[in-house]
Amino acid sequence: MGRAQTVASGAERIDMVIVGAGFGGMYATYKFREMGLNIVSIEEGGDVGGVWYWNRYPGARCDLLSVDYSYGFSEEVQQEWTWSEQFAAQPEILAYANFVADRLKLRPHYRFNTRVDSAKWDDARQLWVVRTNDGKVLEATYCVMSTGPLSKPTDPDIPGLNNFNGLTLRAARWPHEEPDLKGKRIGVLGTGSSGMQIIQTLGRTDCELFVFQRTPSFTLPMRNRKVTDRDVAELKANYASIRAACRLNPTGGARPVSTRPFFSIPADHRQELMEQAWQHGGHTFLGIFSDLMVNQAANDQVADFVRDRIHDTVIDKAVAEKLKPRGYPIFARRPCLDTGYYETYNRPNVHLVDCLEDPIVEITEKGIRTQSGEHELDVLILATGYDALTGALLAFEITGKDGVALKDKWEGGPRSLFGIMMAGFPNMFMTTGPNGPAALANIFTISENDVDFIANVIGHMQKTGQGAVEASARAEDAWMDQIQTLASRSLMLKAKTWWTGSNVKGKPQGMSMFTGGFHKYREACEAAVANGYRDLSFEPAHETEAVVG
């Protein structure tokens, strides 16, 4: 008898379901199609692009260099696509996603405007039963969850959110038809990366802008510029070496990372290095010293340097003081890049409401009421972030072996091996999942690494007649111990941020990312392959008769 191809009544039998049309899901769709698997890819949105399909807010732009925010697996894509700026804006990134989907013929494999309602493991048949919101049932040997670390938006926990009679807009689900904001009184909640981009963009228009700030974020000047023809020629001639260097870099990207501890350099030289990096722009500033996330004294001095730049830029010194982040280490929250963010507060139409000094009481029909009074608004913009890393996977029902639900396995926080596999959930894989490098490294480099790792595991299963694979409990425990040990050495745990889950009420707290650098993460994944997959538990393919009905 051959391997069972049992199919439940009305179900569609395939090899693999891939969830997500962001850049991880798109590469997975390409890779596993090229392996000859019969795949179906599912996406809640109406087209490819992931977060860039949804995030169309004013000023939306990537804060990674375009060379980093692009695929390295396809030489054709690299040579045929040309970026126009060092840091690409949302329309260009979405155009890139569409170009890749067209060039690699990915769309025929996608079912857009479709959402997974549940995924349940059938141990007897060694497959996943996946149900979608349109009533369809897919039965697949493998599931790849490329749902992304930032895909489930959160609303602020403020009384009266639904009371507002004006226009409410969400940065993470911006309407495809641009709303008319001219001359409006606009309130912005949230001063993370998205909020800053919205504020600095709308602040230059004729609107009256009210920024409701609870926790100010550190931000660095982007210094964006157009890419020249010479830049393009050099880049395309050297892609191979650039990608190789990225795979060896702790960031997974092209940004240089120093090995110099802060206090190993004389004070005047340190100041000079910081000034140069500030003028150069981008994330250069992040890479000039090696110990900023482990040495509090070094971190304090770098934070003071940035606070001094805020003081120098903002004319109203009382406003400048309110904009200065305090109480947590610099770079323990996601470091933002800006184009004139602090200068925005020098404009007469931009008003900062310090919600630590004047807390929000409620959202009313007319606007936002703080302790000092009501701010009447026409438009309310929510830039309040995401239920990161785990939110998208816990948004629907996933049930593994022995009827164990993922929400129960992750009740005390997410557990996984490499952020790719989990004990108790056979043949289910994640890309850029919790307990990988996720937001701490280049998501393209991580995605390619993760998909290639999954492909190697599946190739091994096909060669050896395996029907199911999962992370061993022992290996998962060891990896989680490493995650916690590394995090305990870092200053990142000293900030309340989506990195640690503190932005979502009731969410387990802790660092759910590998903080040892992409290069060490890649080495761990490669070692797992080289040692014959001893960190994984396999089960031979069942030998039963095929039954349909």
Side-chain angles (χ1 to χ4, degrees):
M1 293 289 182
R3 186 174 172 203
Q5 294 293 315
T6 54
V7 183
S9 179
E12 179 181 357
R13 182 71 170 90
I14 56 174
D15 294 322
M16 178 182 287
V17 168
I18 299 167
V19 182
F23 290 115
M26 289 173 66
Y27 179 48
T29 298
Y30 171 80
K31 182 76 173 185
F32 296 115
R33 179 193 69 192
E34 296 301 293
M35 284 181 64
L37 298 183
N38 178 15
I39 61 174
V40 169
S41 298
I42 295 171
E43 166 58 36
E44 183 178 2
D47 209 336
V48 298
V51 69
W52 299 105
Y53 171 84
W54 299 104
N55 282 16
R56 299 163 180 259
Y57 59 80
R61 183 179 297 275
C62 187
D63 55 11
L64 285 179
L65 290 166
S66 300
V67 62
D68 284 343
Y69 211 75
S70 57
Y71 288 120
F73 72 88
S74 169
E75 185 62 15
E76 291 77 16
V77 167
Q78 291 189 137
Q79 294 302 321
E80 293 173 20
W81 178 265
T82 300
W83 294 102
S84 69
E85 297 180 278
Q86 275 197 318
F87 296 91
Q90 181 270 340
E92 188 170 18
I93 298 170
L94 189 58
Y96 175 72
N98 281 283
F99 167 78
V100 173
D102 291 337
R103 182 66 176 79
L104 302 180
K105 298 179 173 60
L106 302 181
R107 281 194 183 83
H109 303 287
Y110 268 100
R111 297 180 185 178
F112 294 109
N113 300 305
T114 303
R115 187 180 66 251
V116 175
D117 282 345
S118 67
K120 186 173 184 178
W121 174 251
D122 185 329
D123 197 44
R125 296 188 294 154
Q126 294 178 313
L127 54 78
W128 284 94
V129 180
V130 177
R131 299 180 185 276
T132 55
N133 64 322
D134 56 3
K136 300 289 179 59
V137 180
L138 298 165
E139 297 190 341
T141 306
Y142 309 106
C143 268
V144 175
M145 297 296 182
S146 292
T147 50
L150 295 174
S151 55
K152 187 176 185 296
T154 59
D155 282 345
D157 184 22
I158 299 173
L161 181 60
N162 296 323
N163 293 340
F164 182 57
N165 285 336
L167 177 63
T168 300
L169 299 169
R170 290 167 173 79
R173 290 292 185 269
W174 200 263
H176 286 213
E177 292 185 9
E178 189 62 35
D180 181 12
L181 302 179
K182 293 178 182 177
K184 301 293 175 64
R185 291 172 61 87
I186 301 171
V188 179
L189 283 173
T191 52
S193 180
S194 296
M196 285 184 170
Q197 290 180 343
I198 291 168
I199 292 160
Q200 69 189 16
T201 303
L202 292 183
R204 300 189 189 107
T205 70
D206 65 352
C207 72
E208 196 79 9
L209 192 65
F210 296 84
V211 178
F212 295 87
Q213 173 190 273
R214 186 177 59 183
T215 304
S217 299
F218 285 100
T219 179
L220 309 171
M222 179 175 280
R223 317 279 191 213
N224 192 24
R225 65 173 178 81
K226 295 290 185 180
V227 175
T228 67
D229 291 343
R230 179 179 177 180
D231 294 334
V232 172
E234 290 182 347
L235 185 65
K236 292 188 177 184
N238 293 283
Y239 261 131
S241 59
I242 292 169
R243 301 304 185 194
C246 289
R247 287 191 290 271
L248 298 173
N249 195 322
T251 70
R255 174 173 60 81
V257 176
S258 175
T259 57
R260 299 174 296 200
F262 183 86
F263 290 109
S264 69
I265 305 168
D268 57 345
H269 190 196
R270 294 196 301 263
Q271 186 73 15
E272 182 182 338
L273 288 171
M274 288 189 285
E275 292 282 2
Q276 289 175 352
W278 187 263
Q279 293 305 318
H280 185 274
H283 282 135
T284 307
F285 198 87
L286 273 171
I288 51 178
F289 305 111
S290 64
D291 56 347
L292 293 187
M293 297 318 299
V294 294
N295 186 325
Q296 184 68 62
N299 191 286
D300 289 342
Q301 290 202 23
V302 172
D304 283 341
F305 175 91
V306 176
R307 284 190 281 260
D308 287 346
R309 302 289 81 70
I310 299 171
H311 183 86
D312 294 343
T313 302
V314 181
I315 295 171
D316 186 326
K317 299 311 174 187
V319 173
E321 283 302 311
K322 293 175 182 179
L323 288 168
K324 293 178 183 178
R326 300 186 186 279
Y328 65 90
I330 188 171
F331 309 139
R333 292 164 62 96
R334 180 187 176 189
C336 303
L337 298 183
D338 72 89
T339 302
Y341 176 71
Y342 294 119
E343 290 84 346
T344 304
Y345 292 92
N346 294 331
R347 296 179 58 89
N349 63 314
V350 179
H351 314 284
L352 180 66
V353 181
D354 184 349
C355 296
L356 294 178
E357 180 181 279
D358 186 16
I360 293 175
V361 176
E362 63 175 340
I363 296 175
T364 68
E365 293 180 356
K366 295 181 179 180
I368 294 180
R369 185 188 307 281
T370 64
Q371 283 187 352
S372 66
E374 186 172 33
H375 301 267
E376 293 191 4
L377 306 170
D378 302 308
V379 181
L380 178 60
I381 297 177
L382 306 179
T384 45
Y386 297 86
D387 184 353
L389 298 167
T390 61
L393 286 168
L394 295 176
F396 59 95
E397 182 184 347
I398 300 177
T399 308
K401 282 169 57 176
D402 303 319
V404 175
L406 182 62
K407 62 179 174 57
D408 293 329
K409 178 181 175 68
W410 285 1
E411 185 179 11
R415 299 183 60 79
S416 69
L417 175 63
F418 308 141
I420 299 177
M421 302 176 68
M422 294 178 286
F425 291 78
N427 293 9
M428 177 168 281
F429 305 93
M430 300 174 288
T431 64
T432 63
N435 306 312
L440 301 180
N442 179 3
I443 199 164
F444 275 82
T445 314
I446 303 169
S447 295
E448 291 184 15
N449 173 88
D450 293 358
V451 170
D452 290 346
F453 178 87
I454 298 164
N456 285 332
V457 172
I458 292 175
H460 174 78
M461 294 174 71
Q462 291 174 332
K463 290 176 185 176
T464 57
Q466 306 297 331
V469 63
E470 61 186 285
S472 73
R474 173 193 52 78
E476 184 177 89
D477 289 344
W479 182 252
M480 294 308 303
D481 286 345
Q482 190 173 352
I483 294 289
Q484 292 164 17
T485 298
L486 288 170
S488 69
R489 299 171 183 166
S490 170
L491 299 178
M492 290 180 186
L493 291 175
K494 292 192 173 185
K496 292 182 178 180
T497 169
W498 62 260
W499 285 0
T500 59
S502 61
N503 65 318
V504 178
K505 188 176 182 179
K507 188 169 184 175
Q509 304 294 290
M511 180 61 68
S512 298
M513 290 187 285
F514 177 79
T515 57
F518 173 79
H519 59 316
K520 293 298 182 182
Y521 172 73
R522 178 186 57 80
E523 289 174 8
C525 292
E526 290 179 350
V529 177
N531 68 25
Y533 301 103
R534 67 186 181 201
D535 292 333
L536 310 183
S537 295
F538 293 92
E539 183 180 284
H542 294 174
E543 297 291 327
T544 59
E545 292 190 24
V547 178
V548 179

